[in-house]
Amino acid sequence: MDVLDLGRWQFGITTVYHFIFVPLTIGLSPLVAGLQTAWVRTGDEKWLKLTKFFGKLLLINFAIGVVTGIVQEFQFGMNWSEYSRFVGDVFGAPLAMEALAAFFIESTFLGLWIFGWGRLPKKIHLACIWAVALATNLSAYFILAANSWMQHPVGAIFNEETGRAELVDIWAVLTNNTVLAAFPHTITAAFVTAGTFVAAISAWWMVRLVRSKKAENVTLAKTVYRSGLRLGMWVMLVAGVGVAFTGHWQAQLMFEQQPAKMAAAEGLCHTEQGADFSILTIGNLNGDCESVRHLIALPNLTSFLATNTFDAEIKGTIQIQDEMTQKFGATRGEHSEIVGVDAPTDGTADQELSYIPNLAVTYWSFRLMIGFGIFSAALALGGLWVTRKGGVSDSRWIKRIALVAIPAPFLASAFGWIFTEMGRQPWVVYPNPNPSGVDGVWMMTWRGVSTAVGSGSVITSLVAFTLVYGALAVVWGKLMHRYAIEGVPTEVHDESPEANPDKDEDAPLSFAY
Amino acid sequence: MDLPVLWFILIAVLWAGYLVLEGFDFGVGMLLPVLGRKDKDRRAIINTIGPVWDGNEVWLLTAGGATFAAFPEWYATLFSGFYLPLLLILLALIVRGVSFEYRGKISDPRWAAWCDRGIIVGSWLPAILWGVAFANLVRGVELDASHTFTGGFFSLLSPFALLGGAVTLGLFLTHGAVFLALKTDGDIRTRARALGLKLSTGTTVAAGLWAVWAQLAYSVAWTWAAVLVAAVSLVLVVVMVAKDREGWAFIFSALGIVAAVVLIFGSMYPDVMPAIDPANSLNIRNASSTDYTLTVMTWVAVALVPVVLLYQSWTYWVFKKRITVAHIPEPIGLSLKKTDDLTSA
């Protein structure tokens, strides 16, 4: 494998891995903040128990999300230095803003929240977790703004003299319609993830306690875990509806902005009027579009989803390939001429360019994303039905389904990102029919890699990250599992300074590592 | 003042903030096995930085993000050129971070021992490597006409760079020992003070040597002032530790680190990445973003940096109390296996 493939694998592995933890953190921090708010407002201990319980799980998850995030920021410089040179003037700004506006708040106030239970006044302590929750969501906004710019560059011009993209309108970058669609879609998906997590663990505990048939256990199930379950289910349902609507909006933008991604996702070779939506295909999707046979398809649905009319014309991959070849060249050498840089000297100048992303990856990741999403929403409806009117359940099936439910939204998010990023290939900055009339701000992925870095270095780092990340996954899984089966604390008390005015100055801290 | 100069200074400020703040975190981590013999000692030591280390690390992310935004060419050349050292630093920071967070989660001596190893290795590696990296920036590296790094990994390990690594190591060890003397009481405080005295003496010698070398070989006249400030500060660290004035000692060890950053950035200026062949050097002009981007970033920085400083200072104020073994609660971590009365269900 060459540096390009290795660098792409590394980016894929480190990013998808980082994004296991991110959606749970984004969704769970506001939920924990909400639970703590319920406790502060009502004084009902069940909310404090749930706050402490899910708070611990949040922290275990947060820690690993933070440390794997550091890699993301430096990877652009390490493996993708030519990309960084090309876009730094534009792309660096949202990254720096994330650090200054959001990341500082997250890390500082998280420290205050963890260690401040016995030290800060109750309401100030509550404000700390809200600061964390809001900053985490703000973080997501800046990162998605940066990513959306790569999907659909706006607010920038191509400077022929310096050969790079230059920022002319930061407001356009921050209000790019691509990020306005991607942000709510990502955030609602994160809430589905966190809602599922809270609901599933609560459901598992509810069944476990009810089955033990002890009166005090059944009471605990009815008061504490049922509350957690209902909260999680409502979050799943409401956020799930949000995911569907925002996803639809995002898909319509993609038909406009990245037709190749959507054509590949549908396995659509020939431009069609009234295109079907395929649910299952046979054929090998190995890049030869003609070999794809749609087995089950919903007539005219793709056209409707793309444009809200059933007989709209949808471009096929063959036409897109022809159009892009005309504009961007047929080979790497020809492309370099168009861009105005030296042709590659490593023997790849004659390599033909395909402007269509990998069909199998795009097709299946799109369906798996949607499928896992629908599965979660359906479970929420079922769970709300079972626990209506104060009910609890002792069904073993609910316990089993709860465990199966947890990974589904994580998988949906992972496939969503694989679809978004793989569907953008072979471009790292996508050439768009740009509403602002910008042209020339685009870059092919193979041109973005670091020229100073040899494949030995990238292999070393790829192996090192994979091993360390693998070991961390085991530790994370063990801790999450162990703390989840510990359940809510049996006794909690108000540790705030106002509730304990006579506390001895030298007493042990209420929390320490 | 024009914008690239302003941003060169701002990035120096961010690095100074990072090295001062995470400098003592690294020191605390490195001294964990030296000053913490029993588990409760170790927990007291870790808890001196518990609430703040994560916030301190964000200074690095901000420095990185600001470099990307303000000097993309510098960002691209630096991190692709210093690939392996940076990889080691990233791995170290990952392992160290999870070790802090997960150490207390499981009550088991072997678990704690593994996390301690993570903290110790994760603190030593970056403490040395940051010095090596910065010394290379002062010395100049091999760049070609397109500003691409052409030297190999071993070209980064010159005697000057290795001595630079020893200097940051010494500075952070001293800074950490002084911080521990300031933040603890009892036995740990006494031992941290004694160690701080020894470390600061050695560090002053190594740092003096490196600074004079840097000054004579690679720097300009005005940075002698920084060398002077650093020298005075480091001597004052020794004096203050000896007089049991830990607060002042900490201020002077922080000042010593700031002076070192001034020397480093002052030596580079107006280059951001000097090349062995000066024609290929990256400087604040040919590496910087456009004036528009720098203007936007300036407004963001002006609006947000004071706020960040305000709430970070507040954190230190909230957790200002000295920590002793008596403050450390019994372990709250769980065991790895669970047995309970519900397993039949």
Side-chain angles (χ1 to χ4, degrees), chain A residues 201-275:
Chain A
I201 291 175
S202 302
W204 186 86
W205 264 105
M206 171 188 78
V207 173
R208 198 173 183 223
L209 290 171
V210 174
R211 288 186 76 84
S212 80
K213 300 210 166 62
K214 284 187 197 158
E216 76 265 26
N217 283 344
V218 176
T219 315
L220 186 64
K222 279 194 169 159
T223 52
V224 178
Y225 288 110
R226 187 178 166 277
S227 303
L229 177 56
R230 302 274 300 175
L231 172 74
M233 293 287 183
W234 277 113
V235 170
M236 277 167 85
L237 194 64
V238 173
V241 172
V243 172
F245 277 105
T246 54
H248 175 59
W249 178 24
Q250 214 183 355
Q252 292 203 330
L253 268 183
M254 273 182 203
F255 274 108
E256 210 177 281
Q257 298 176 346
Q258 300 180 336
K261 184 188 274 182
M262 296 314 278
E266 289 308 325
L268 192 71
C269 314
H270 300 282
T271 303
E272 269 181 36
Q273 259 181 350

Side-chain angles (χ1 to χ4, degrees), chain A residues 60 73 79 89 103 482-483, chain B residues 61 75 83 102 105 290 335:
Chain A
I60 293 167
E73 188 180 287
N79 289 340
D89 196 80
F103 217 29
R482 185 64 193 79
Y483 272 80
Chain B
L61 292 171
Y75 172 83
Y83 194 93
Y102 289 171
K105 292 275 180 281
T290 53
S335 67

Side-chain angles (χ1 to χ4, degrees), chain A residues 361-379:
Chain A
V361 172
T362 325
Y363 181 91
W364 284 113
S365 58
F366 189 53
R367 271 147 200 83
L368 288 166
M369 168 185 78
I370 295 174
F372 282 117
I374 290 175
F375 175 70
S376 298
L379 284 185

Side-chain angles (χ1 to χ4, degrees), chain A residues 290-309:
Chain A
E290 303 285 0
S291 75
V292 178
R293 294 280 171 276
H294 295 286
L295 210 58
I296 309 173
L298 300 175
N300 296 53
L301 187 62
T302 293
S303 283
F304 181 74
L305 289 177
T307 60
N308 295 336
T309 46

Side-chain angles (χ1 to χ4, degrees), chain A residues 417-492:
Chain A
W417 272 114
I418 291 170
F419 172 66
T420 308
E421 299 300 290
M422 289 294 285
R424 174 164 50 111
Q425 298 306 324
W427 300 93
V428 64
V429 179
Y430 206 89
N432 282 300
N434 217 311
S436 55
V438 175
D439 204 5
V441 180
W442 26 261
M443 182 181 230
M444 293 193 78
T445 308
W446 61 272
R447 286 199 50 233
V449 291
S450 298
T451 45
V453 181
S455 55
S457 298
V458 191
I459 289 175
T460 309
S461 64
L462 181 60
V463 170
F465 280 130
T466 308
L467 289 178
V468 170
Y469 279 13
L472 286 182
V474 174
V475 174
W476 170 81
K478 269 196 169 162
L479 282 178
M480 292 295 266
H481 174 246
R482 185 64 193 79
Y483 272 80
I485 59 169
E486 177 67 13
V488 296
T490 42
E491 264 181 67
V492 286

